[in-house]
Amino acid sequence: MTLPTLVLCCWSSLLIFAWMLRGKFYWRPAPLDLIVLCIAAGALCTVPALLCNAFLARETELWAFSPNRLHSLLGILIGPGMGEELCKMAAGLIALTLVRRDPGPAGRMLGMVVVGLTFATVENQIGYSELGVEGLTRRGITAVPVHGAMGFIHGLGVNRAWPEHRALPLFAAYIASVVFHTAWDTISIQMPAYSTAALAALLAAAAGWSVIVWRSTPEVDQLLLEAGSRP
Amino acid sequence: MRSAPRHPTTPRPAARKRTPSLLHRCLVEHLHVWRFLIPTASLLALCLVLAHRQAPRRPTLADLIQALSSPPTPELPWWKRLFTDLRPRRPPQPARRRDVASDSGELRAVPDSVPPMTPEQIAFRQFTLAQLIMAQRFDRTEREALSAVSTVPFNGPFRHYEQNRFLTEMLWLRYLDRIDREATARGIRKHALAALDYPAANFEDRLNAGVGLLLTGDAERAIPQLQAAVDQWPAMDRMRGNAYLALMAAHAARDHHRQTLFMLAGFQRNFPDWLNVENYLPDLIDLEATYDNPLLALVHGRILQLVHDFQGASEKYRDALDRGLPPSAASMARHWLSETGEVQP
């Protein structure tokens, strides 16, 4: 692994991470223990996710690039959709359960996004480093922010689930991210004629939504604020 | 009478809240996490098992390599096959270059080798080449060849590149057989340009893209691709000659008379196949119909003159002069016309 390749694989992850840190953590410090855990978890969860994709591609007909459109769709749904999203969510959730101090909504959201960004970086390194400068730069503009946006979806679900210990928001976030990931990959693989415009629109929508979500995420839980204000 | 308590009731210190253990925190306090993870992981596992049962795998690349009678490779256990996908891939290394003398005597760097390819890519290319050869020899139809290549189950970034190369070569077979030439040329252009997106695209891809653009009426965009193909071609062979001819025609089509005349002067040196006019003149005639430029008629006339078809050459020179050439090209046309023994107009 050469340094330029590493930089090309992770430049946009670092930019998104820096942007997230800059806008928050005024009232409480950034949860460094959670960030370190999430980076490790995000790197580790790449292995089962890519193994799942490799299993589908090598051992079954449900292969993302299959000429049969139904097989391709199912391959994308089960592999990149269900497999990768579950691995990322599981990694982030386990990291959150391991930290002693609750990092608050912004910390939880940051943790889930860090898992997504680390996943994208390691995936770039393992699966796409042969694409060269142009290909990796293109992935830095498209695939990495999309993994970050899916981290925001996970983070939103986690923030809804955490204060009241409910599982339902986690399922909702998982389904939303699976649908988004499947739609993204299906458009890029099965509809090359429309992919540039459609993916640009999807990316812009996801990026705009992520910015709004991050800006509206408080640093402290609303429930805690309400409990603190009671007489 | 109430007896006094045996132990004085001193106020007990408030019990300190115990810090929950890591296990307790993970499993009990965050039970909702496990209520989510266990069903979703089970669902994913069920999907994978069903996919394996209901949609069994197709022949792998290893099977295809074996089928192509390369040295047989042992079948790996499934877990080893999976882990081969997790090895980081090396970025393509630039090809080594060496200096050769150009037409004008200057040294220029040309590739000394093709960029290195992964074993899977080599196997894939071997497979596509085998299909092309069989299609060329009519051992299998184009449809069968395309179907065979499209079902190769390998997911690598190079797949699109190799598929586009294969489709371009397949379309060249159709084009040379003069089957629906306009649509075929558009197909060549589309797939050759798609192959150029890959970082390891080489001089062959540039030649295909350049000729595809030239045949479909976009000589301006064809010129840089063809120039790069001529510059990067590693040998002075027939294929480089084709690139040279196409570049000369592209310059003529764009009315670049200086470049056209310069390239005409070096035509025999750069195009080893120049004597076999029956091979390449039909394409030049097609280009004359597409671009309607007198410089192309001049090129046609000069080629006919080189093979001693003086009558055909003089007709072409007259045609070019009648349609109006730039002064320097007109002067050359008159000079060459005089060499054919015709009376100057």
Side-chain angles (χ1 to χ4, degrees), chain B residues 173-187:
Chain B
L173 293 183
R174 286 178 74 85
Y175 189 84
L176 295 176
D177 287 341
R178 307 190 80 82
I179 302 170
D180 195 7
R181 281 196 137 188
E182 280 187 22
T184 310
R186 283 199 299 274

Side-chain angles (χ1 to χ4, degrees), chain A residues 5 47 50-52 54-56 58-63 65 67 78 82-83 86 89-90 93-94 97-100 125-127 129-131 161-162 165-167 170-171 174, chain B residues 22 25-26 29-30 32-33 35-37 40-41 44 47-48 51-52 55-58 81-92 150 152-155 157 159-160 199:
Chain A
T5 310
V47 176
L50 295 187
L51 279 179
C52 176
F55 176 81
L56 285 168
R58 287 181 179 271
E59 306 299 322
T60 76
E61 278 192 356
L62 306 186
W63 168 50
F65 292 90
I78 299 173
M82 293 169 67
L86 178 65
M89 263 191 102
L93 287 170
I94 290 170
T97 62
L98 289 175
V99 287
R100 282 177 184 279
Q125 182 59 43
I126 292 177
S129 53
E130 69 176 19
L131 284 184
W162 224 250
H165 298 283
R166 291 190 302 149
L170 298 178
F171 284 107
Y174 177 60
Chain B
L22 184 68
R25 209 167 56 233
C26 286
E29 282 186 11
H30 298 295
H32 62 294
V33 169
R35 283 209 302 268
F36 162 72
L37 285 181
T40 41
L44 178 63
C47 287
L48 291 176
H52 195 231
R57 76 185 179 95
R58 291 179 176 176
R81 285 202 301 271
L82 292 187
F83 275 96
T84 53
D85 272 11
L86 292 186
R87 285 190 207 134
R89 295 180 177 129
R90 288 180 61 198
S150 68
V152 177
F154 192 79
N155 174 15
R159 185 187 171 86
H160 287 297

